[in-house]
Amino acid sequence: MADNRLDMLGEVCPVPLLTTQKVISEMKSGDVLTVETDYSRTVRNIIKWCDDRGYVFDVEDKDNGVWLVTIEKK
Amino acid sequence: MPVKIPPKKGLSLGVVGFITAFGIAAFITEQELLLVWIIGIALGFVLYRSGICFASAFRDIFLFRDFSMARVVIILIAISFVGIVIIQAFDTSGGFLEWVYPVGFHTAVGGVLFGFGMVLAGGCASGTLQRIGEGFILFWAVILGITAGSVLGVYHFSWWKNNFFSIDAVFLPDFIGWIPSIVLTLALLGGLNLLAMGIEKRNNSKNGLTEKDLAEKEVKSNG
């Protein structure tokens, strides 16, 4: 089990999802990644992508317009 | 654990006040502008709530093999098409015809330029406005780019017109009549939608998801 963090503040589509996919592909099963973003569509993109793959995810409001998306690789 | 973040009430009131003042000013200047003001607010609201993004519609097909936004745009075009047909059919002053230009080499050049710009900047015109409304400072730079590009386009328009406009603009109802044109357009859009749905289904079955899983997902994402 390893915790990874990804700072995607200020990045817009499609960079956050592409980077998330890349980081997750290098992670081991059971590892957790937390993506920090201030882009609302990124949250939607990432959770849809996770949903399609059956990954468990959680979204947390960090601040006004800043979200933390936590993903567990299956 | 959900964190309660206090909304910025002062800022919200300021924005509402500005929009209201703008509406009153528009109404005083010219009463018809009030209608445009209402349509503008309604469009902005729909754009914001739906998150419609033309850039994502075209880009995600290639980048992520994701057809969901493309299908949203197909449905959006079908609905606007019906509205435009109604306006065009009843407008005696010519309706949208004066903005219909012939197709040609210049269409492809414009498409490639706009496509590159849209994907690199992260938003088309409507998406950029929507994101400025959501508070992304970055998109002020994008709107400057869109404005500069549009001004250049208008400035250069006659050059393209003189060199590349070789055929007359095609207005389908003049050739095959209103009803066949409407049926043909809707059939084409419906076909594209079915194609996108078919590819999505094939991709999902590759991921090992069954029809039942998909139905559950649909319920979850709507709920």
Side-chain angles (χ1 to χ4, degrees):
Chain A
M1 274 277 283
D3 281 332
N4 300 276
R5 272 191 89 87
L6 191 57
D7 178 3
M8 282 288 117
L9 293 174
E11 295 285 357
V12 298
C13 296
V15 178
L17 182 55
L18 276 178
T19 318
T20 303
Q21 289 180 347
K22 192 167 165 277
V23 171
I24 287 191
S25 73
E26 286 159 3
M27 281 172 20
K28 283 198 278 298
S29 188
D31 286 359
V32 175
L33 172 70
T34 305
V35 185
E36 186 171 2
T37 177
D38 53 4
Y39 200 55
S40 57
R41 268 218 68 83
T42 289
V43 179
R44 293 198 217 178
N45 278 342
I46 292 177
I47 63 177
K48 184 185 181 289
W49 181 76
C50 290
D51 217 19
D52 284 346
R53 265 144 206 83
Y55 292 170
V56 181
F57 59 85
D58 189 40
V59 182
E60 189 187 317
D61 279 28
K62 192 189 172 196
D63 199 350
N64 263 318
V66 181
W67 297 274
L68 293 174
V69 188
T70 312
I71 309 150
E72 192 190 322
K73 185 172 182 178
K74 208 163 66 168
Chain B
M1 194 170 39
V3 193
K4 260 272 184 254
I5 297 149
K8 290 179 177 161
K9 273 197 186 126
L11 188 67
S12 319
L13 280 174
V15 170
V16 170
F18 176 75
I19 294 173
T20 314
F22 195 82
I24 294 168
F27 184 71
I28 294 168
T29 322
E30 201 185 322
Q31 289 196 1
E32 254 183 37
L33 282 180
L34 196 69
L35 203 65
V36 181
W37 181 74
I38 293 169
I39 293 173
I41 291 173
L43 270 179
F45 184 76
V46 171
L47 266 177
Y48 165 60
R49 295 305 298 174
S50 60
I52 283 174
C53 175
F54 287 86
S56 149
F58 291 101
R59 181 196 60 215
D60 292 353
I61 294 177
F62 301 102
L63 206 51
F64 300 117
R65 301 260 170 267
D66 181 356
F67 287 76
S68 48
M69 193 51 80
R71 282 181 51 211
V72 170
V73 168
I74 292 170
I75 293 166
L76 180 145
I77 293 173
I79 296 170
S80 355
F81 167 74
V82 173
I84 286 172
V85 162
I86 294 170
I87 296 173
Q88 188 66 46
F90 291 99
D91 191 342
T92 45
S93 65
F96 297 99
L97 268 187
E98 67 175 292
W99 293 296
V100 178
Y101 294 108
V103 66
F105 173 70
H106 53 280
T107 321
V109 174
V112 168
L113 278 177
F114 191 84
F116 268 105
M118 173 172 81
V119 170
L120 288 177
C124 60
S126 60
T128 302
L129 288 174
Q130 167 195 337
R131 268 149 213 144
I132 287 174
E134 280 183 34
F136 296 102
I137 311 292
L138 182 73
F139 281 95
W140 284 101
V142 178
I143 200 92
L144 271 177
I146 292 176
T147 315
S150 308
V151 170
L152 263 177
V154 172
Y155 181 70
H156 221 216
F157 185 74
S158 54
W159 184 79
W160 293 93
K161 196 174 176 181
N162 295 333
N163 288 287
F164 295 105
F165 283 23
S166 47
I167 50 165
D168 282 337
V170 176
F171 184 58
L172 219 47
D174 284 347
F175 288 91
I176 56 174
W178 277 99
I179 302 293
S181 311
I182 294 169
V183 172
L184 185 70
T185 309
L186 287 178
L188 204 66
L189 289 170
L192 279 176
N193 189 31
L194 280 178
L195 185 72
M197 276 169 80
I199 299 172
E200 253 185 354
K201 210 167 137 186
R202 212 189 55 197
N203 286 351
N204 275 319
S205 58
K206 258 194 221 151
N207 287 339
L209 294 168
T210 61
E211 290 281 325
K212 201 172 150 255
D213 294 333
L214 289 178
E216 269 173 19
K217 252 172 64 180
E218 197 82 6
V219 170
K220 255 200 298 186
S221 59
N222 289 338

